[in-house]
Amino acid sequence: MFDIKRALSLNKLFKDFHNKEITDFLISSQYQTRDYAASQIIALEGDPLTQIGLLLSGKVSVEKCFPSGKKITISQLSAGDIFGEAIIFSPKKVFPSMVTAVNNCKVMFVDQEHIIKMCFQNEKFLLNLLQLLSEKILLMDYRLRFLSGESIRQKICLYLLEQYEEQKRFDIHLTVNREALAEQFGVTRPSLSRELNKMRKEGLINLTRKTIIINNLSLLEQNL
């Protein structure tokens, strides 16, 4: 049997919550839980948004769709993440992107009015929500810097320097494959691979299937 209280205890909105606080939330709130199969659409771009989604299990993909049929993956969310929190308080309450189940997953949907009620009743909930919104803003800024880079090399160098600061090591472990990385940069996969190979030949980096090894940090900075 699925342990919904345990799943909520691992959710970012309920960080530092005691078991009784989670129990009180479940008793007092109006929510729905839904199960989705792999590749099933959870929300389409433009759908009305009146609830936030708390991912209790599995993974979902947030994608931007274009008239040509092309899709760009904006982010992938795992159990403990939420979606819709940045939009639900805006005047235009519609999904800005498509949300699709990557694998079998379970999502809890909570109405806006209860989110507001929780913010008034529990300071920890309010602080957790504000922290999530701040992280979303920082992530958007992070992605904009990639998209505004003048060249593919600049985007690669910026990514590697950001990952070096985060991972504290020169052999950068890639958490996504090259196709997803190319989408994140707003370039094609062949273009990304060509530039990575050029940088390898110039001695800036070494490559393995799941890592990029920084050979010269100062040279990367000079390429920005």
Side-chain angles (χ1 to χ4, degrees):
M1 185 175 178
F2 188 82
D3 190 343
I4 193 169
K5 285 203 292 186
R6 174 167 172 74
L8 284 180
S9 71
L10 301 174
N11 190 279
K12 294 177 180 178
L13 264 181
F14 294 90
K15 184 179 69 174
D16 298 328
F17 268 54
H18 301 302
N19 186 62
K20 184 180 183 304
E21 291 175 302
I22 295 176
T23 301
D24 290 342
F25 167 79
L26 291 171
I27 293 172
S28 64
S29 66
Q30 295 182 353
Y31 65 88
Q32 302 87 38
T33 59
R34 297 174 193 159
D35 295 311
Y36 296 91
S39 301
Q40 188 174 354
I41 294 174
I42 298 172
L44 287 169
E45 184 175 340
D47 280 354
L49 192 159
T50 59
Q51 302 170 308
I52 66 167
L54 284 67
L55 190 54
L56 302 178
S57 68
K59 293 183 178 182
V60 303
S61 178
V62 182
E63 301 171 324
K64 185 70 177 177
C65 302
F66 295 92
S68 64
K70 181 180 179 181
K71 297 178 184 177
I72 293 180
T73 301
I74 298 174
S75 62
Q76 281 203 349
L77 307 178
S78 302
D81 289 325
I82 71 174
F83 57 88
E85 78 283 6
I87 306 299
I88 197 167
F89 297 109
S90 71
K92 189 178 180 180
K93 294 183 177 63
V94 296
F95 279 93
S97 309
M98 183 170 71
V99 184
T100 308
V102 175
N103 51 23
N104 293 343
C105 63
K106 183 183 288 289
V107 181
M108 171 186 282
F109 293 95
V110 184
D111 292 339
Q112 178 193 29
E113 60 185 43
H114 194 72
I115 296 298
I116 296 173
K117 180 181 175 182
M118 283 292 295
C119 288
F120 279 108
Q121 291 181 342
N122 193 302
E123 184 178 341
K124 285 186 290 188
F125 187 91
L126 174 61
L127 291 175
N128 288 341
L129 179 59
L130 291 175
Q131 183 176 349
L132 285 169
L133 292 172
S134 297
E135 289 174 355
K136 190 66 66 81
I137 292 170
L138 289 173
L139 179 61
M140 289 175 62
D141 177 69
Y142 179 69
R143 293 192 183 282
L144 281 172
R145 279 189 286 162
F146 281 133
L147 294 174
S148 63
E150 294 181 2
S151 68
I152 298 175
R153 178 166 295 201
Q154 284 181 321
K155 294 175 183 181
I156 294 171
C157 291
L158 178 59
Y159 172 79
L160 291 176
L161 290 169
E162 294 272 5
Q163 290 300 309
Y164 169 74
E165 290 181 6
E166 183 176 323
Q167 298 186 27
K168 309 297 184 187
R169 52 194 297 171
F170 289 103
D171 52 323
I172 305 302
H173 174 69
L174 300 178
T175 57
V176 296
N177 58 32
R178 290 195 188 181
E179 184 175 353
L181 194 60
E183 287 184 356
Q184 184 176 327
F185 292 171
V187 301
T188 64
R189 180 177 174 176
S191 297
L192 175 63
S193 295
R194 280 195 298 271
E195 193 59 42
L196 285 171
N197 284 324
K198 285 182 185 178
M199 294 173 69
R200 177 182 57 79
K201 290 176 181 178
E202 293 172 19
L204 287 170
I205 59 174
N206 280 325
L207 301 169
T208 67
R209 191 167 66 90
K210 292 188 177 181
T211 61
I212 299 177
I213 302 167
I214 300 173
N215 290 336
N216 193 314
L217 199 63
S218 61
L219 282 180
L220 284 186
E221 293 172 347
Q222 291 174 25
N223 278 272
L224 293 178

